Structure formats: structure tokens, C-alpha cells
Amino acid sequence: MNKNPMVIANWKLNGGTDLICASVASVLQHDFCAQIGIAPPYVYISDMANFLRNSKVMIGSQNVSKFESGAFTGETSAQMLKEVGCQFCIIGHSERRQVFLENNASCKTKVKRALAAGLMPVLCLGENEQQRNLGLTNDIIYRQLHESLEGVELNGMDLCVAYEPIWAIGSGKAASPETVAEIHAFIYQELIGIFDKPTAARINILYGGSVNKDNAEYFLQMPNVSGLLVGGASLVPEHFAQICVLASKSCAI
Ligand code: 13P
């Protein structure tokens, strides 16, 4: 990999002032060469971005509106997120697909909105348990990738893709590192087809699903795994920092 690994914390609907203080203090103790990002709930973004302004830690959102502005109660636009200090936004997390009925078409609109506002999209993909048991994993991922990214112009901007098998999220049953490597290789090949080889090589492909401080390094050692998207373990600041330290060991320099 010709890029440094990336570790992103997805706090989901968790956290508050105490976690913000503890997490900021924890990440500021280190100078990670891995790229680190934290996605707290919307309302904390501005504060966190200010606290981390002089650090390399990126702040991001867990979602973004597919609309630009107007009568869309409850929505937050990519431009607004950029203005309050976001550098990336998570798009198409399985919880949003399952609970809020997002689909590949809406993800594509969101990816375009994010890029237009100068935010790095972190596009999430992954199959559910039934699809996995039916041997449909690659088909699902193929559709998610192609329907969300085909025709998207990166224009030199960064994009990140996160493979998060739904059955591994919050279950304590992470996918095996070998399985992850196999699927990441498939994702990389498809990204070459959608964009081109140099562009695909620049895209960090993260694994997410029950990653913790004890298993993180096994994923980071695998080919085509260039980072992690961490849920539960990111709510324990020392654990998250330990994962970032591990990722920093596989930096290119
Ligand atoms: P867990 O790490 O809690 O399994 O969550 C993964 C996830 O959904 C990150 O986006």
C-alpha cells in the first residue's frame, strides 16, 4: 500500500461531554502517523473540531443529507458540515440502510454532495448474514460499489471505502482476517474498474465489525486492508488510542 492506514471511530448514537474530553485528551497524547478520524454525533462536531484544530486528527459526521438546502426538516448538508470543521462523512452505514431505508442511489447522491463540499466520503458496504450464507457476498458488494460510485468524479479528492459485514457489527464476531483480505481484494479490483489503477490504489479500504484492541493488528497485517472503522471499541478512549498506535506501526515511511 502506498498510503498510510486510516482508523475511524464511529460513535453512533453514543457519547457526550465526558467522552469528548476523554477522547480528545487521549488522542492528543500521541503523534500518530496513521490517519485518524472521529465521527461523533452531529451536535458535538463543532466542539470536537475546535479542540482538535491543531492536531492531525480528522473530525467527521456519521451521515450527510442528500439535499443541498431547503425545506428538509432535520437534515444537515455537506456544506454545513464542512463549515463546522468536518473533513469526512460516513455514508451508507448498514444501520442507515436498514433503519432509515437508505439505498445505493441515495448513497451515490450523498457521495457526490460530500465531494462537492470538500469532504472525504467514507462509503460503507457489506452483506447481511443471510446473503453471506447464500454465497451472495460478492454480488452484494459489487452492486453497492457500482451503484454508488459509477460516474462519480473524484477530481483528485480522497475517497474511502469501508467493508462492514452486517453480521460482524456489534456482535463480537469479527470476520476472519483471511475473509476480510479476500473481500478487500475484490473491492480493490472493482475500484480499479470503476476508476483506474492509480486512483484505486489511493483509496483506503477499511474493515469494520467487532474490531478491538486485541484483534486490530491481524486485520492491519492483511493485504488490501488499509485501515479500520471502529464502533464499540472507539467509545473506550484508551482502546481506540491503542488501535491507532497499532495502525501507525504499518505506516509507509
Ligand atoms: P462495532 O465495532 O461496534 O462492531 O461497530 C462497527 C461499526 O459499525 C463501525 O461503523
Side-chain angles (χ1 to χ4, degrees), residues 81-235:
L81 292 169
K82 178 73 180 175
E83 194 172 57
V84 296
C86 271
Q87 285 149 284
F88 69 90
C89 59
I90 297 174
I91 292 172
H93 191 282
S94 60
E95 287 147 18
R96 295 219 56 90
R97 293 175 190 259
Q98 287 181 312
V99 184
F100 301 98
L101 308 183
E102 293 193 11
N103 55 33
N104 296 333
S106 63
C107 288
K108 183 171 182 167
T109 309
K110 291 179 177 206
V111 166
K112 288 181 171 175
R113 290 268 182 238
L115 290 167
L119 299 171
M120 174 181 73
V122 179
L123 177 69
C124 299
L125 328 156
E127 80 287 3
N128 65 28
E129 186 150 38
Q130 194 191 11
Q131 291 161 338
R132 177 194 184 214
N133 292 339
L134 290 169
L136 295 173
T137 300
N138 284 10
D139 294 346
I140 297 294
I141 289 172
Y142 180 94
R143 287 190 54 180
Q144 290 172 329
L145 277 172
H146 285 261
E147 292 178 14
S148 315
L149 294 177
E150 234 154 49
V152 168
E153 300 279 347
L154 291 184
N155 295 322
M157 295 248 334
D158 286 330
L159 167 73
C160 180
V161 171
Y163 170 55
E164 296 207 308
I166 296 171
W167 46 270
I169 294 177
S171 64
K173 288 186 227 144
S176 75
E178 294 73 22
T179 301
V180 172
E182 215 173 279
I183 293 166
H184 280 219
F186 176 70
I187 292 172
Y188 177 55
Q189 285 309 318
E190 294 309 313
L191 289 172
I192 293 176
I194 294 169
F195 299 106
D196 53 45
K197 202 165 181 182
T199 306
R202 281 199 306 114
I203 297 173
N204 281 75
I205 308 176
L206 317 184
Y207 167 70
S210 296
V211 170
N212 57 44
K213 64 180 175 43
D214 300 318
N215 63 17
E217 66 179 314
Y218 301 115
F219 299 111
L220 291 162
Q221 284 164 4
M222 299 314 273
N224 295 304
V225 178
S226 47
L228 300 166
L229 182 52
V230 187
S234 72
L235 302 174

